Amino acid sequence: MDQEIFGKVDHYISQMLAPEDEVLQETIKSLDTAEMPQISVTANQGKFLQVIALMCHAKRVLELGTLAGYSTIWLARSVPEDGKIVTIEFDPRHANVAKENIKNAGLLDKVDIRVGKAMDLMLEIKEAKEEPFDLIFIDADKPPYAEYFEMALSLSHPGTVIICDNVIREGKVLDENSTDDRVIGVQRFNKMLASNKSVTATILQTVGVKEYDGMAIAVVK
């Protein structure tokens, strides 16, 4: 099997079970308009996040890596009316694009966009003793993934689901001699996850229009 069939099946699943409405389509287009990278999750992955949020009855969600707000919209549509998505974005320009997209989706009342370094803002959340999160989605810069996860644990409760994207890197995680900071970051993360006694976790390989990667899924004990 080759990449072509994976892409076709991805489109098949998305068209049947995760069709994009105009808001989601415009969100993807906004990336090109703003000259931002096309690295959002796919429609099928967005629906996956939505399903997981519904499965764990998520009311409070933390997202690291807003980009243009594509995954944020999928998640915000899954929480109840009094739910909240706290999404963290390092780049102010990206955050502004995301805010417009989330506004167009009619979801600004459910989304709290915070701009700055993820570790700093997560520490602020911890020190402010905000309510723990029911679902945490990590899709930010890869080198500090292990540290992000450890901090995420401190913002969780038993039963919190933590999902981390891009942890296989087209199989490059198998290269112990890699000099790519992103690969090294997820290698460190994967090893940490394997020995972490605070969660029950696994990694699912993913294929599709975004080629070959993987998502780590953990449930806090």
Side-chain angles (χ1 to χ4, degrees):
M1 300 181 75
D2 57 23
Q3 176 59 34
E4 183 179 359
I5 190 64
F6 293 146
K8 287 181 177 178
V9 172
D10 205 347
H11 283 301
Y12 168 80
I13 296 170
S14 295
Q15 288 170 3
M16 290 193 67
L17 298 171
E20 294 177 312
D21 60 13
E22 185 177 352
V23 166
L24 291 169
Q25 292 172 3
E26 290 300 319
T27 298
I28 291 298
K29 290 178 183 177
S30 73
L31 288 162
D32 289 334
T33 302
E35 297 183 342
M36 293 163 60
Q38 283 286 357
I39 54 174
S40 303
V41 298
T42 65
N44 191 32
Q45 290 170 341
K47 185 64 174 291
F48 170 76
L49 293 173
Q50 197 174 77
V51 169
I52 296 297
L54 292 169
M55 287 175 66
C56 66
H57 305 287
K59 187 175 180 179
R60 277 179 56 80
V61 177
L62 175 64
E63 176 184 53
L64 304 189
T66 315
L67 197 63
Y70 184 82
S71 55
T72 317
I73 291 170
W74 278 104
L75 287 166
R77 287 174 169 176
S78 70
V79 299
E81 287 304 313
D82 58 345
K84 181 67 70 175
I85 312 293
V86 176
T87 183
I88 294 175
E89 173 56 48
F90 176 73
D91 190 321
R93 190 170 66 88
H94 293 182
N96 287 334
V97 173
K99 184 176 181 179
E100 284 301 309
N101 289 326
I102 293 164
K103 180 181 179 180
N104 291 338
L107 295 167
L108 271 182
D109 58 331
K110 288 186 178 183
V111 180
D112 179 0
I113 304 174
R114 304 188 187 184
V115 182
K117 292 183 178 180
M119 287 297 290
D120 292 345
L121 293 176
M122 293 170 81
L123 183 59
E124 287 181 8
I125 292 171
K126 180 178 179 180
E127 291 178 342
K129 297 182 179 179
E130 295 186 28
E131 290 183 54
F133 294 95
D134 308 304
L135 173 63
I136 299 175
F137 178 46
I138 300 175
D139 189 15
D141 51 320
K142 312 310 171 194
Y145 251 37
E147 289 74 21
Y148 288 160
F149 187 87
E150 292 289 356
M151 182 61 80
L153 284 175
S154 71
L155 306 177
S156 303
H157 59 73
T160 294
V161 177
I162 305 176
I163 300 176
C164 302
D165 199 10
N166 309 127
V167 299
I168 296 299
R169 312 298 304 176
E170 297 181 334
K172 294 174 183 176
V173 290
L174 300 178
D175 181 6
E176 292 296 334
N177 298 313
S178 176
T179 58
D180 186 323
D181 288 345
R182 294 167 297 181
V183 173
I184 294 170
V186 295
Q187 287 173 331
R188 287 179 53 242
F189 165 77
N190 292 341
K191 290 175 182 177
M192 177 280 299
L193 188 64
S195 61
N196 196 304
K197 304 301 182 183
S198 299
V199 298
T200 301
T202 191
I203 294 174
L204 296 178
Q205 299 181 76
T206 59
V207 295
V209 294
K210 289 188 68 176
E211 299 182 350
Y212 177 44
D213 214 319
M215 282 187 176
I217 305 173
V219 181
V220 179
K221 293 181 180 178

